[in-house]
Amino acid sequence: MSGAETIELVDISEFNYETDGKVYNEGKNILVTSRLYDELDVLDINKCKNSNTFKLIVSTLYHEMGHVSDWKKMPNLYRMVEENPTSAEGVASLFWLEYIAEKRSAEKNLVDHDSFCTDIAKSEWRAYKTEFGRAGSDNFTYLCKVLPYFMGRTIDPQKRKKYMGIMKNRLVKEFVIEVDKEIKKLEKEYPFDEPEKLQDLYSIINIFFNKFREAYEPY
């Protein structure tokens, strides 16, 4: 946390998409939104500390603090995400960095993510569009935003098996399997700061984008 200068709480109404937090300004600033805080019945920690919502708030902060730490180790990857988010390197870097941060948070077992993982598994995911900043099961960009969280939260083999067993979309299941193979390779090299090392990860993402378009894009 030595690199962080501020933690700011911002009203969720200022965002046009659902988010709980982000890190910006070269890892110096953490921003958390009011979305989860608005769900609390009281703001007294002694009264709400056992609620799932409060645990989600703690998990979010832990996730974002992990980004602060990772930004020091991998400034080139974070710069790629900030400056060229739609480029091949930017897409792959975001996927990788979110996976690393969420895996770290999930390993703390601060909160139960069953509802989130079940929703991912049971969604139709007719994802043929590419629209940044918009949630939706028809949006491949959004799928790539949530999938690192799903994978980070299902590191345990039994958890992964459970959700893969109920996964509705065959392409999403294949996507997870192929990305998982590549991530296991990348983890052996962590931390690294060369965007070119993520070329194979992007190739997998691009291959599956084309598969989703072929399967679901209307003609």
Side-chain angles (χ1 to χ4, degrees), residues 10-213:
V10 178
D11 196 294
I12 187 62
S13 65
E14 296 188 22
F15 295 82
N16 59 5
Y17 58 95
E18 188 175 281
T19 183
D20 293 331
K22 63 182 290 187
V23 173
Y24 63 100
N25 192 21
E26 298 181 355
K28 297 175 183 176
N29 305 96
I30 296 175
L31 181 153
V32 290
T33 75
S34 67
R35 189 186 77 84
L36 291 170
Y37 293 84
D38 292 341
E39 294 180 8
L40 292 172
D41 295 327
V42 293
L43 296 179
D44 185 334
I45 291 177
N46 289 324
K47 295 179 180 178
C48 69
K49 63 183 179 181
N50 293 320
S51 72
N52 198 57
T53 299
F54 181 78
K55 291 175 182 178
L56 279 169
I57 289 171
V58 176
S59 183
T60 296
L61 281 169
Y62 194 84
H63 175 101
E64 300 306 333
M65 288 190 290
H67 279 310
V68 172
S69 176
D70 285 340
W71 206 309
K72 287 184 175 181
K73 301 173 187 174
M74 301 174 285
N76 289 328
L77 297 188
Y78 276 91
R79 192 176 302 114
M80 186 65 66
V81 172
E82 279 205 325
E83 297 177 359
N84 300 287
T86 62
S87 68
E89 295 86 354
V91 169
S93 295
L94 180 60
F95 196 107
W96 169 244
L97 295 171
E98 290 295 353
Y99 166 77
I100 289 294
E102 190 54 30
K103 177 190 175 186
R104 184 188 296 117
S105 297
E107 286 174 338
K108 287 292 182 180
N109 292 315
L110 298 170
V111 66
D112 182 0
H113 292 296
D114 179 66
S115 178
F116 171 87
C117 293
T118 299
D119 286 346
I120 297 298
K122 290 190 173 182
S123 176
E124 294 282 352
W125 290 115
R126 303 175 68 84
Y128 67 92
K129 298 180 180 179
T130 52
E131 298 178 18
F132 286 80
R134 181 185 71 83
S137 62
D138 63 342
N139 189 0
F140 185 79
T141 305
Y142 180 65
L143 174 60
C144 289
K145 179 178 175 61
V146 298
L147 213 57
Y149 283 78
F150 172 82
M151 298 184 72
R153 292 171 179 178
T154 58
I155 289 298
D156 178 84
Q158 292 305 312
K159 283 187 178 180
R160 181 69 61 82
K161 183 179 179 181
K162 170 187 172 181
Y163 297 113
M164 293 293 274
I166 63 171
M167 193 160 278
K168 202 166 187 176
N169 189 299
R170 175 186 56 83
L171 282 177
V172 176
K173 184 181 288 190
E174 292 176 6
F175 193 13
V176 169
I177 291 170
E178 291 305 313
V179 168
D180 186 59
K181 292 176 186 175
E182 181 59 24
I183 280 177
K184 283 182 169 64
K185 296 177 186 176
L186 293 170
E187 284 184 304
K188 293 177 182 178
E189 299 189 54
Y190 173 82
F192 58 85
D193 198 28
E194 299 82 24
E196 58 268 22
K197 288 191 175 182
L198 296 169
Q199 288 178 350
D200 289 344
L201 176 59
Y202 176 75
S203 293
I204 294 168
I205 293 172
N206 191 51
I207 286 168
F208 276 90
F209 171 56
N210 289 324
K211 287 186 177 184
F212 274 90
R213 286 184 63 189

